[in-house]
Amino acid sequence: MVEKASRRHESATHLVDIAIDRTSRAPIGRQLYFALRAAIVAGRMPAGARLPSTRAAARLWGVSRGVVVEAYDTLLSESYVVGHHGSGTFVSADVPGQAERKRRTVPARSNARSDISSAARSVIGNLALDPPAQVPFVTGRAEPDDRTRAILKRIGHRHLDALCDHYRNPQGEERLRREVVRYLAAARGVRCEPGRVFITSGSQQAIDLAIRTLIDPGDTVAIEDPSYPPARLAFTAGGARLVPIPVDRHGIDMGLLTECGENVRAVYVTPSHQYPTGTVLSMARRLALIDWAAARGAWILEDDYDSEFRYDDRPLAALQGIDEHERVIYFGTFSKALLPGFRLGYLVVPTELVPAVRAMRVLLDRFPAPFHQLVVADFLNEGHFSSHLRRLREAYRASRDMLVALLREQFIGEPGIGIEVPMQGVHLFARLSPGFDDVAIAQAARRSAVTVLPISPMHLGAVTSHGLLLGFSALHHEDAAPAARRLALAVLLTRAGHG
């Protein structure tokens, strides 16, 4: 309980109210000291003002006399107050920090954002900086089973002494890079060797590292439209000029990309599972994209963010694996396949880019922390990853099927809502007809403790699709069923409000 002491002035003390929070873990003496210091520095207790005697102050603020003595002694030692023997304690005429505060006091600017970089201005307000709450349908969740958690704990204990007394390889631990190469070759058809792999703090750092290495401010970058917002904003923050290329049911429109008159430096794609629409880039367009990049001298940035979760067929081969011209830069992550808290991803680059990417990596964080790398390296090397993925796929397939059934039950007879069964990934795309406002629906759902992502704001060009993204990883029936009903009610209320 916070108690405020209301009191009368003692002569000309000009004291302010003092708040003591008795539930705080901070000692009461420190609380009193900080409150008095703040009042003095702010000028609410001016120079020469007399503080009450320790006995009077104890009564005034409802604390012990010893607490007051402690606070006063600290203020005396830091020259905020001075003591005159036989007269009392007074605010110092030369308060530390007060002169500096006065010098810093300038008229308010009309635009506070003029003090920050254009890169920061491009991101503020466009990206959720706080992690989403663990509520139904939120994306980006992972739920390894107890067996996987037990194995990771056992391996982690093995590497508790992974602290090092020297700088490590900026590309990451070679043991993990070797295992990543083996895994990507077997599962994704990626062609590389450990010397071309960089271990990163998730795929977002991999994207940032590629941008820093390849893109100058003002360079033109083509990007799928709609696209993954954090990737789009990373390009914008890097100073790129973005050209949106629409996506249809076969992936990025190669006709429009080819006709683009701009000198395109790079193109960002999610070919195996387009974010957010879920389409797959056809083989004809894959080959056309590679030929286009080779002819233009452009780079293809392939984000393979959830390739581990292909439910009804074998995972599609990566674009990088069929590139004979070495124009593809490949990103991946362990965040969805293991745990986001590991903060581990990987970047595979052509041989000619390795020196430049190494140099830029040193400027970021010099080298990734070894502990998590060594744990994941052993997890892969000992064969745990493949069996873990099999169990996770089955669990996520069941969650997917449950969510599809619940949504179809709620929206039966509603022709404007298409519930598409995803063949890959950990989120579902519910397509809406143009008569629906997906942003308003998402806002209404959030008020009901349901998180869905609207698609329309993910467009850079003309909005050609409306819909909602719903995550189904780590989704349980006891949460999903009532959440589906709340989502249906949000859709109903939103339509009624616009009718």
Side-chain angles (χ1 to χ4, degrees), residues 430-447:
R431 191 178 299 275
L432 304 176
S433 68
F436 291 84
D437 184 341
D438 54 1
V439 174
I441 292 172
Q443 292 171 344
R446 190 174 299 115
R447 290 191 290 270

Side-chain angles (χ1 to χ4, degrees), residues 134-143 309 311 336 392 395-397 399-400 403 425-428 470-476:
Q134 297 297 312
V135 296
F137 310 147
V138 70
T139 59
R141 296 174 65 180
E143 191 176 67
F309 302 106
Y311 297 108
K336 293 177 178 61
L392 209 57
Y396 287 178
R397 183 204 297 270
S399 296
R400 176 201 67 175
L403 179 57
V426 292
H427 64 253
L428 175 150
L470 294 82
F472 56 79
S473 57
L475 186 64
H476 303 283

Side-chain angles (χ1 to χ4, degrees), residues 157-177:
H157 189 268
R158 184 188 308 164
H159 293 290
L160 286 177
D161 60 348
L163 300 176
C164 57
D165 58 359
H166 61 280
Y167 289 109
R168 314 285 281 203
N169 191 322
Q171 291 185 235
E173 298 297 305
E174 185 175 1
R175 288 174 56 188
L176 179 56
R177 287 186 283 124

Side-chain angles (χ1 to χ4, degrees), residues 215 286 297 339 352:
I215 308 299
R286 289 173 183 241
L339 286 169
E352 66 174 292

